[in-house]
Amino acid sequence: MSSTLRETLKIEVYFDFICPWCLIGKRQLDQTLALLRAERPELQVELCWRGVQLLPYLPAGGEDFEAFYLRRLGGEQALRARQAQVRQAAASVGVILDFTRIPRMPNTADAHRLWQRASQLGSHAQQDAQLDALLESLFACHFQQGGDLGNAQTLLDLAAEAGFATEALVSSLQGDGSPFLGTAEGAASQGVPSFVLGGRVLSGAQPVERLLASLRQAIVTERQPAQMRIIVPASRVPAPGKRALIEEGGKSLVLFNVGGAFHAIDDSCPHQGASLCGGKLEGEVIQCCAHGLRFNLNTGYLLGSTQLKVGRYPVELAGEQLHIVIPQEDVVPCMR
Ligand code: FES
């Protein structure tokens, strides 16, 4: 087993599909990144869009769009004024919005679950184009095509059009309107869109000039530390439903394959340190053998709590190789 060091600038964006400011923010970020790449072609940018469900209480079938906003904003005048403001901001970045073409305010829980699963299926380097196409099509479905992001078939069709194998995504859909938990911490609590650049949070859609200045600053003064990548040999990659103990450079990790999606966690229960490698796996939940605590492999959190969390690490597919990405703060000194 071997490991390599690679520098990247990581950008996280917290968003919801039904937020027009998130769509506007995406356009602004796209334009900013194009400028940045022209400036610094050597820079590796890792872009992660993290879903936040703004309206988890909506019924699974959603609500009438106009009625939702009339109730929320208190009347026709306020609604039209808000829509005019959003339309103007959208037009400034080349997005034409026609709110009369949006029939439903959907429950986006399953859209977020599908997006999260799609984002886990491969490395961002491999799937940047596919993921961007999927994100664009999910936004377009709601804002421009009159589609319903609460409809499972719609979601799967959009994923297929973006080049994803729907067999790997279908089990992420629940169809019951149960809330998407996602990442309910940190920048997500500051609203959407929120951009996390080099450890700083920028809340709200940002003009290109400001975003570019923040990115330059993040590169110069808050450059993301180097990551360690543990390259998993093909012979150690677990089959679906299986797991493998990966010991490398002082870290002891368990790599799970849940229906084709990989999860890597510390082989140490945050309760009292028991090994999790032999735990009972049910879907994306691992149960510690010692005292029975159960942890969500997607978030690392103890089920039903955010008080206890097992260390978890992104798993990326780079070419034919599976990489477990260890952030610098988690790299033990002997590996430097
Ligand atoms: S050590 Fe895992 S539940 Fe106690």
Side-chain angles (χ1 to χ4, degrees):
M1 196 174 296
S2 62
S3 59
T4 56
L5 293 175
R6 189 177 298 170
E7 284 190 343
T8 61
L9 175 66
K10 185 173 181 180
I11 304 170
E12 292 176 295
V13 189
Y14 291 82
F15 80 105
D16 196 358
F17 301 105
I18 45 91
C19 165
W21 296 105
C22 294
L23 175 57
I24 293 167
K26 182 178 188 306
R27 286 289 179 282
Q28 292 166 327
L29 181 61
D30 288 344
Q31 292 173 17
T32 305
L33 286 177
L35 293 171
L36 188 69
R37 288 188 175 112
E39 254 178 36
R40 304 180 66 99
E42 80 289 354
L43 186 72
Q44 183 176 344
V45 176
E46 185 181 317
L47 181 56
C48 299
W49 288 82
R50 301 196 184 282
V52 178
Q53 189 183 8
L54 290 176
L55 306 170
Y57 52 82
L58 280 185
E63 287 185 25
D64 178 83
F65 183 79
E66 179 105 341
F68 171 86
Y69 270 115
L70 281 172
R71 191 177 69 252
R72 182 171 206 173
L73 298 177
E76 179 93 18
Q77 196 177 0
L79 174 59
R80 300 302 164 223
R82 175 69 64 87
Q83 290 182 339
Q85 179 196 17
V86 174
R87 265 201 312 274
Q88 188 177 13
S92 73
V93 290
V95 177
I96 305 304
L97 288 180
D98 179 357
F99 292 104
T100 64
R101 298 192 61 190
I102 305 177
R104 306 290 293 169
M105 177 58 85
N107 182 310
T108 57
D110 270 356
H112 283 299
R113 284 189 265 267
L114 176 121
W115 171 255
Q116 184 183 58
R117 176 70 62 82
S119 300
Q120 292 168 342
L121 288 178
S123 74
H124 288 267
Q126 284 286 304
Q127 295 201 1
D128 266 356
Q130 272 187 336
L131 284 168
D132 191 63
L134 179 58
L135 188 54
E136 284 289 334
S137 69
L138 289 163
F139 273 127
C141 175
H142 175 66
F143 283 110
Q144 276 138 355
Q145 295 162 358
D148 181 0
L149 292 182
N151 181 284
Q153 195 55 54
T154 298
L155 295 175
L156 292 172
D157 287 347
L158 292 173
E161 284 166 21
F164 287 89
T166 54
E167 312 85 68
L169 301 175
V170 69
S171 66
S172 69
L173 305 180
Q174 296 185 7
D176 58 2
S178 56
F180 169 74
L181 298 178
T183 307
E185 71 210 63
S189 65
Q190 298 194 27
V192 297
S194 286
F195 302 84
V196 182
L197 315 166
R200 292 177 60 229
V201 180
L202 285 177
S203 294
Q206 302 289 329
V208 170
E209 304 72 35
R210 181 162 180 217
L211 211 41
L212 186 57
S214 297
L215 284 173
R216 285 175 180 145
Q217 186 179 358
I219 293 165
V220 173
T221 63
E222 301 180 58
R223 182 188 293 272
Q224 281 287 304
Q227 301 168 337
M228 181 187 76
R229 288 175 173 255
I230 295 176
I231 301 173
V232 183
S235 61
R236 303 297 319 282
V237 175
K242 305 291 186 190
R243 82 281 309 262
L245 181 64
I246 306 292
E247 293 184 302
E248 167 78 0
K251 291 198 80 70
S252 189
L253 309 174
V254 194
L255 178 64
F256 294 92
N257 181 337
V258 180
F262 290 96
H263 303 270
I265 62 170
D266 282 326
D267 184 32
S268 176
C269 178
H271 179 222
Q272 289 185 2
S275 168
L276 290 169
C277 191
K280 184 177 175 189
L281 181 66
E282 282 185 332
E284 292 176 331
V285 173
I286 184 70
Q287 182 171 26
C288 180
C289 294
H291 309 100
L293 296 189
R294 300 195 302 154
F295 298 90
N296 183 319
L297 292 177
N298 264 318
T299 64
Y301 282 117
L302 179 68
L303 290 197
S305 168
T306 53
Q307 301 302 309
L308 209 55
K309 185 179 187 182
V310 64
R312 61 180 297 283
Y313 306 93
V315 181
E316 297 181 353
L317 190 63
E320 297 294 307
Q321 291 179 320
L322 211 57
H323 291 194
I324 302 173
V325 182
I326 312 292
Q328 179 71 18
E329 57 266 29
D330 290 332
V331 176
V332 296
C334 66
M335 304 190 74
R336 294 177 188 170

